[in-house]
Amino acid sequence: MTNQTATPPTSVPPSAPPPAEPFSPTKVIGTLLRVPMFQIVLVLVLICVVFSVLAPGSFPEWGNFRQIIQNVSILAILGIGMTFVIVTSGIDLSIGSVLVFSGVVAAKTMQALGGQGWGVAIIGIVVSVLSGMAWGTLNGFLIAKAKVPPLIVTLGTLGGALGLAQVITGGVDIREVPDVLVDTIGYGDLPATTFPLISVIALVFVVTFAIILHRTRFGLYTYAVGSKEESARRVGVKVDRHLIKIYALSGTMAGLAGILSLSQYSTTAIAGQAQTNLNVIAAVVIGGTSLFGGIGTIFGTVVGLFIPAVLQNGFVIIGVQPFWQQVAVGAVLIAAVYVDQRRRAAATRGRSGSKTSLSKLWSRSP
C-alpha cells in the first residue's frame, strides 16, 4: 500500500484594495456644478457679488441684507404651500387673493372686538389662518373630488376671494391693526439681536415643513402623487384625500401670510397682492421644483425667492429702473424651465436606453 501525503491547500493571498483616487479639486467642483441646487445657489452668490462690486458702500451692509430678508419672509410662507402643490404637479393661483381675504376678515374681526392687546391679536391670527384653510380646502375638494383642473379652480377662487374681500371692505383698506402685532411681529426684532422677528417666524415654518416634505410619510406621498398619480393609487395612497390636504396646506399658509402682511404693513393692502401668486410660482420653479411634479425642495424655493428680491434691491441701489427686475426674473424663469425639461428628457432617454439594453441582453441565446 502506497502512503500518500495530503497536500495542504494553497492559500490565496488576499487581493490588495484598489488604490484610492487622489483628491482632485477640479473633479469635485465639476461634480458640484452638475448639481441643480448648487447651480441655483451659485447664481444667487454671483448676483450678490456683482451688486457688491457695483455698490460697495451700500449693498453689502447688514441693514440692506436685513431689509431683503424681511421682504422675503411673507413670500417664504406662501412658497411653502406652493412647493407642496407644484410637487404634486398642481398649481395654486389663488394664494394672493386668499392672503388678502384672510387679512380682511382678521382685521374686521379685531376691529369689531376692539382693543390693542394679545387677546384680540390671537383671535385675529386664528381667524386669518382658518379663513385661508377654508379656501384651500375648497380648492382641494373641487380638484380632487369634482375633477376640475387646478388651473381653473384656483383661477376661480382667485377672483372669488378677492371679490369678497372688496365686498366686505367696500374696496377701502382697513388700517386699524392692534399695536401689539405691528410692534412685535411687524417691526420687532428677536430679543438681543437685530434680526427681524417676522423672519424668525418664517424660518421656523420653512425648517418644519422642509422636514415634513423630505423626512415624513406625508412628504413621500406628496412626491409619489406628483411622480405618477395612478402608481400612487395602486400602492395604497389615498390620492384624493392627500390632494385635499395639500391644497388646504397652501390655503393655510396663505392665511398665515395674511396676518403677517397685516402686521408688517398695518393695512389690508387689497390692491397690493396682484402679482404675489406669480412671483411665488416663479420663485418655486427657479428654485428647482419641476412644473411636471415629483421634484422639488423647500430650500430651493427659499433660494428662488431671494434671487428676485436681491435683483430688485440691487437695481434700486445702483439706480437702474426696477422694471428690469421683471425682465431678469422672467429670463431666469424661462431658463429654469428649459433646464428642467432637458433634465427630464435626459432621464427619460437614460431609462429608455437601460430598457433597450436589458431587452437585448434578455433576448440573447446562450
Side-chain angles (χ1 to χ4, degrees):
M1 186 173 179
T2 305
N3 294 330
Q4 294 181 349
T5 306
T7 304
T10 305
S11 60
V12 180
S15 58
E21 295 184 4
F23 175 75
S24 173
T26 305
K27 187 175 181 180
V28 172
I29 293 174
T31 303
L32 286 175
L33 289 175
R34 289 192 293 272
V35 178
M37 183 58 62
F38 183 80
Q39 296 170 358
I40 300 166
V41 174
L42 184 60
V43 169
L44 177 60
V45 171
L46 289 176
I47 292 173
C48 291
V49 170
V50 169
F51 284 128
S52 296
V53 172
L54 294 176
S58 52
F59 183 83
E61 292 184 349
W62 166 243
N64 187 49
F65 286 136
R66 183 187 185 281
Q67 185 64 43
I68 295 174
I69 293 171
Q70 189 167 358
N71 292 339
V72 167
S73 299
I74 295 175
L75 296 179
I77 296 291
L78 295 171
I80 293 170
M82 187 64 75
T83 302
F84 276 84
V85 168
I86 295 182
V87 166
T88 64
S89 71
I91 201 73
D92 189 352
L93 299 177
S94 67
I95 54 172
S97 296
V98 172
L99 182 157
V100 171
F101 178 86
S102 301
V104 164
V105 174
K108 274 290 187 181
T109 302
M110 292 185 291
Q111 187 182 53
L113 292 174
Q116 302 292 330
W118 273 112
V120 174
I122 290 174
I123 293 174
I125 293 171
V126 172
V127 168
S128 183
V129 171
L130 291 179
S131 299
M133 183 186 297
W135 280 105
T137 304
L138 176 62
N139 284 338
F141 182 82
L142 292 174
I143 291 166
K145 296 297 185 182
K147 304 302 179 184
V148 183
L151 180 68
I152 303 302
V153 170
T154 57
L155 188 61
T157 51
L158 178 155
L162 184 60
L164 285 176
Q166 292 173 329
V167 168
I168 293 172
T169 61
V172 180
D173 282 314
I174 301 173
R175 302 182 183 276
E176 298 178 20
V177 182
D179 294 338
V180 67
L181 283 177
V182 178
D183 295 339
T184 55
I185 297 177
Y187 293 97
D189 293 331
L190 189 68
T193 70
T194 58
F195 199 83
L197 186 59
I198 192 172
S199 301
V200 176
I201 295 171
L203 180 62
V204 169
F205 278 92
V206 164
V207 172
T208 301
F209 282 96
I211 294 172
I212 291 173
L213 180 60
H214 301 295
R215 291 291 184 267
T216 67
R217 183 177 299 179
F218 185 85
L220 179 63
Y221 287 173
T222 302
Y223 284 112
V225 171
S227 297
K228 197 165 187 182
E229 184 176 316
E230 186 58 35
S231 298
R233 291 184 190 275
R234 290 179 180 179
V235 298
V237 178
K238 294 179 174 58
V239 174
D240 291 351
R241 183 185 301 177
H242 193 76
L243 285 175
I244 292 173
K245 291 179 181 178
I246 291 294
Y247 282 92
L249 171 63
S250 181
T252 302
M253 291 296 103
L256 177 60
I259 197 68
L260 294 180
S261 175
L262 198 62
S263 302
Q264 185 174 19
Y265 299 111
S266 305
T267 180
T268 50
I270 295 174
Q273 304 293 338
Q275 299 295 322
T276 297
N277 51 357
L278 297 180
N279 291 338
V280 173
I281 292 170
V284 172
V285 175
I286 290 171
T289 299
S290 174
L291 282 171
F292 303 98
I295 299 172
T297 64
I298 299 293
F299 176 73
T301 294
V302 174
V303 177
L305 286 167
F306 271 101
I307 289 176
V310 171
L311 283 172
Q312 184 177 20
N313 179 271
F315 284 152
V316 171
I317 288 177
I318 65 176
V320 176
Q321 287 184 334
F323 305 112
W324 282 105
Q325 178 239 352
Q326 298 295 334
V327 177
V329 172
V332 174
L333 175 61
I334 293 172
V337 175
Y338 173 75
V339 170
D340 177 53
Q341 287 183 320
R342 292 292 299 270
R343 184 170 61 243
R344 292 176 67 88
T348 302
R349 287 195 299 269
R351 287 195 296 268
S352 176
S354 299
K355 289 179 181 178
T356 304
S357 301
L358 288 173
S359 300
K360 291 179 179 178
L361 181 64
W362 183 261
S363 61
R364 285 180 183 172
S365 58

